């Protein structure tokens, strides 16, 4: 999974949407997440002029939602209707001290006034505008006491669901605090340079020529000092680079390292959309590559990605767990399984994920991952390699899944692999960590070779 860079918020211009309008739509986005909808569905529904500002405000609100909800609960005698609560939570999040340099900042009186105006703009909240005003002004008066009151609540302290916090405490007892803190900061914007079009050093110089500074990472990566619109990146439309986190770029290294590859080598990218890892493999080597994804619309994104980068692969919409429907019977030399997962490692870029997931989702996804591994292993030729990847920090989706697989398959050999990479500064040091600026997204990698008979 490739995640976008976090937006850099700014105050609206005189000609642009007012803060009240942005807050009204931010509350709508927060409410949609609370009702189970992903921001990747909700944000595209906004008109383009609203999207950047609302996305920035919504990301901030979701990064502080645990604290904001707890404070709202202290400010009211009865829980307000969901639209009112979403607006109040969004406003309270803006009134909190920011914990990252990219957070939106407005004078407190501006936030209160614009939140009241936002309430008046929406028929679901207009009758509660005075109530919103009273609660927010009370928060400003009693701020320190209210914050002290909610400080003992772990959800308010860490801005994650309790089950998520407890799982991280079990899975990463030495790093769980740092990991949760990292999740509440925006991730850096990393680029993957298309080596078929331009050398990385030359592309870095092209960035410097327009005033952008970047630091090399991995084999093909550059981490920008500050996020940029892709339209500003030299040669983006011509396929000179792609946006992809440094952790996601490690997939190609894991699959291709240690041998020469030719166009005769059959490679399967089993859950390929949106196509970033597919493209990286083809940028690195000539391969006979089949890219699968179960969603036809997401397959269109793979095609678009390959076209922009000047690459070719066979793209097919199919369920990788049902090979009888798509496999031609010829074994693969290598398989990349970037399996469906909780996405618990990319919360820096997708702050809604923590509020959308449920504890039961972990077990369900572990079962899906196991089914994919069992279905694809027979398709790998002896001597071939399978790379299992997830953008998760939960051990059940990483170490636990692989160790269980190795017990079931005596013809499987676990090769040296990165294992769990943790977000930001929580990432462990070691031979697989070049410590890119801002750290990695959370990921798991394991390379498993099929032993020759």
């Amino acid at each position: 999974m490739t995640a976008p860079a976090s937006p850099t918020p700014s105050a609206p211009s005189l000609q642009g949407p007012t803060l009240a309008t942005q807050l009204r739509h931010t509350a709508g986005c927060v409410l949609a997440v609370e009702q189970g909808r992903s921001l990747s569905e909700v944000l595209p529904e906004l008109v383009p002029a609203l999207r950047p500002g609302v996305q920035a405000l919504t990301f901030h609100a979701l990064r502080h939602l645990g604290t904001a909800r707890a404070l709202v609960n202290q400010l009211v005698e009865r829980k307000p209707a969901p639209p009112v609560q979403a607006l109040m939570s969004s406003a309270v999040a803006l009134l909190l001290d920011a914990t990252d340099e990219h957070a939106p900042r407005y004078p407190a009186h501006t936030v209160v006034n614009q939140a009241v105006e936002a309430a008046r703009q929406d028929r679901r909240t207009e009758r509660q505008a005075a109530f919103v005003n009273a609660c927010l002004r009370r928060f400003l008066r009693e701020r320190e006491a209210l914050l002290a009151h909610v400080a003992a609540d772990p959800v308010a302290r860490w801005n994650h669901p309790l089950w998520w916090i407890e799982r991280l405490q079990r899975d990463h007892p030495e790093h769980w605090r740092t990991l949760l803190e990292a999740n509440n900061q925006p991730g850096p914007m990393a680029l993957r340079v298309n080596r078929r079009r331009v050398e990385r050093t030359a592309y870095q110089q092209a960035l410097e020529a327009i005033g952008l500074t970047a630091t090399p990472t991995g084999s093909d990566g550059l981490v920008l000092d500050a996020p940029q619109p892709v339209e500003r990146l030299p040669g983006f439309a011509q396929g000179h680079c792609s946006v992809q986190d440094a952790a996601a770029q490690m997939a190609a290294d894991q699959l291709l390292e240690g041998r020469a590859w030719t166009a005769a080598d059959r490679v399967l990218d089993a859950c390929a959309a949106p196509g970033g890892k597919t493209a990286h493999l083809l940028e690195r080597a000539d391969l006979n590559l089949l890219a699968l994804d179960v969603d036809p619309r997401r397959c269109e994104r793979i095609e678009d990605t390959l076209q922009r980068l000047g690459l070719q692969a066979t793209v097919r919409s199919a369920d990788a767990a049902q090979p009888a429907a798509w496999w031609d019977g010829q074994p693969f030399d290598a398989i990349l399984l970037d399996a469906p997962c909780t996405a618990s490692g990319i919360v820096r870029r997708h702050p809604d994920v923590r509020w959308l997931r449920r504890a039961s989702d972990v077990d369900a996804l572990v079962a899906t991952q196991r089914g994919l591994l069992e279905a694809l292993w027979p398709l790998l030729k002896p001597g071939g390699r399978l790379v299992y990847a997830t953008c998760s920090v939960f051990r059940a989706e990483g170490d636990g899944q692989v160790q269980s697989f190795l017990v079931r398959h005596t013809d499987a050999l676990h090769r040296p692999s990165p294992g769990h990479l943790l977000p930001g500064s929580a990432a462990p040091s070691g031979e697989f960590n070049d410590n890119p600026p801002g750290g990695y997204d959370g990921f798991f990698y394991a390379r498993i070779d099929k032993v020759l008979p």
Side-chain angles (χ1 to χ4, degrees):
M1 178 181 287
T2 300
S6 293
T8 301
S10 59
S13 68
L14 293 177
Q15 294 76 31
T18 64
L19 178 58
T21 298
Q22 293 184 73
L23 271 173
R24 175 165 60 87
H25 288 282
T26 296
C29 290
V30 171
L31 179 60
V33 170
E34 292 179 326
Q35 293 174 341
R37 295 187 67 197
S38 167
L39 283 184
S40 62
E41 301 174 41
V42 178
L43 288 171
E45 296 173 355
L46 297 172
V47 297
L50 277 172
R51 201 171 303 153
V54 172
Q55 180 173 331
L57 292 172
T58 303
F59 275 32
H60 180 78
L62 293 174
R63 288 180 176 130
H64 296 271
L65 189 58
T67 308
R69 279 176 174 169
L71 289 168
V72 169
N73 288 339
Q74 292 301 310
L75 292 167
V76 299
E77 293 183 3
R78 291 187 304 171
K79 186 175 180 179
V84 177
Q85 184 172 21
L87 176 59
M88 291 178 62
S89 295
S90 301
V92 168
L94 272 185
L95 292 170
L96 295 170
D97 286 337
T99 58
D100 67 77
E101 62 186 66
H102 303 287
R105 288 183 174 85
Y106 299 92
H109 70 277
T110 299
V111 173
V112 174
N113 291 341
Q114 292 294 289
V116 173
E117 180 60 28
R120 292 176 177 144
Q121 290 179 5
D122 191 328
R123 60 177 178 79
R124 299 173 299 175
T125 58
E126 60 183 349
R127 294 184 178 180
Q128 299 299 315
F131 173 73
V132 170
N133 181 55
C135 288
L136 294 181
R137 292 188 182 280
R138 180 188 166 198
F139 171 72
L140 294 180
R141 293 194 306 270
E142 303 176 20
R143 174 195 179 90
E144 298 307 320
L146 290 165
L147 285 170
H149 187 84
V150 303
D153 177 0
V155 177
R157 168 67 179 84
W158 299 107
N159 288 292
H160 286 71
L162 183 60
W163 71 265
W164 190 302
I165 298 168
E166 291 173 345
R167 182 174 281 272
L168 290 184
Q169 289 172 335
R170 295 193 303 270
D171 285 359
H172 304 285
E174 296 181 0
H175 297 289
W176 68 271
R177 294 179 182 85
T178 310
L179 201 159
L180 290 169
E181 289 170 351
N183 280 352
N184 287 324
Q185 302 293 328
M189 184 173 182
L191 307 179
R192 187 190 75 244
V193 179
N194 182 357
R195 60 171 65 184
R196 289 185 182 266
R197 295 284 174 92
V198 62
E199 292 183 353
R200 177 167 63 177
T201 300
Y203 193 77
Q204 187 176 11
Q205 292 170 349
L207 290 172
E208 291 172 352
I210 61 170
L212 301 181
T213 305
T215 303
T217 183
S219 302
D220 300 293
L222 291 169
V223 179
L224 293 170
D225 282 1
Q228 302 294 328
V230 293
E231 294 81 7
R232 195 182 175 204
L233 301 176
F236 182 84
Q238 292 73 38
H240 290 193
C241 73
S242 299
V243 178
Q244 187 179 45
D245 186 75
Q249 293 184 39
M250 295 175 70
D253 290 329
Q254 291 299 299
L255 198 77
L256 299 177
E257 68 174 351
R259 59 160 286 186
W261 297 84
T262 72
D265 290 312
R266 288 170 53 85
V267 175
L268 171 66
D269 188 349
C271 301
K277 297 181 185 67
T278 303
H280 197 193
L281 291 170
L282 294 169
E283 290 169 3
R284 295 278 296 273
D286 293 317
L287 302 166
N288 178 7
L289 191 148
L290 171 61
L292 290 184
D293 198 87
V294 71
D295 186 340
R297 291 172 298 177
R298 286 168 60 82
C299 284
E300 293 177 6
R301 292 186 63 189
I302 301 174
E303 298 273 19
D304 292 343
T305 296
L306 296 179
Q307 183 177 4
R308 181 178 66 84
L309 297 170
L311 304 168
Q312 291 186 335
T314 301
V315 179
R316 185 168 179 181
S317 177
D319 183 352
Q322 303 293 331
W326 54 265
W327 185 43
D328 62 6
Q330 298 299 311
F332 292 98
D333 297 277
I335 297 174
L336 172 61
L337 173 56
D338 185 10
C341 69
T342 57
S344 57
I346 57 173
V347 177
R348 297 191 299 176
R349 304 179 192 280
H350 297 278
D352 54 331
V353 166
R354 74 191 88 179
W355 307 116
L356 291 170
R357 291 296 184 200
R358 300 291 179 265
S360 58
D361 293 341
V362 181
D363 290 340
L365 285 161
V366 166
T368 296
Q369 295 153 8
R370 175 173 176 158
L372 284 163
L373 282 166
E374 293 300 322
L376 296 177
W377 186 247
L379 280 56
L380 184 66
K381 68 171 54 174
R385 59 184 64 174
L386 181 148
V387 170
Y388 171 74
T390 64
C391 53
S392 175
V393 296
F394 297 150
R395 292 198 178 277
E397 299 182 277
D399 286 339
Q401 186 72 264
V402 169
Q403 294 306 316
S404 176
F405 180 83
L406 294 172
V407 169
R408 298 194 303 272
H409 295 275
T410 57
D411 59 344
L413 176 64
H414 189 193
R415 303 292 292 175
S417 308
H420 281 283
L421 298 169
L422 304 183
S425 60
S429 60
E431 62 178 302
F432 294 104
N433 184 3
D434 66 356
N435 195 28
Y440 292 116
D441 281 348
F443 247 86
F444 176 84
Y445 284 106
R447 176 180 150 190
I448 306 170
D449 290 0
K450 180 172 279 190
V451 178
L452 290 166

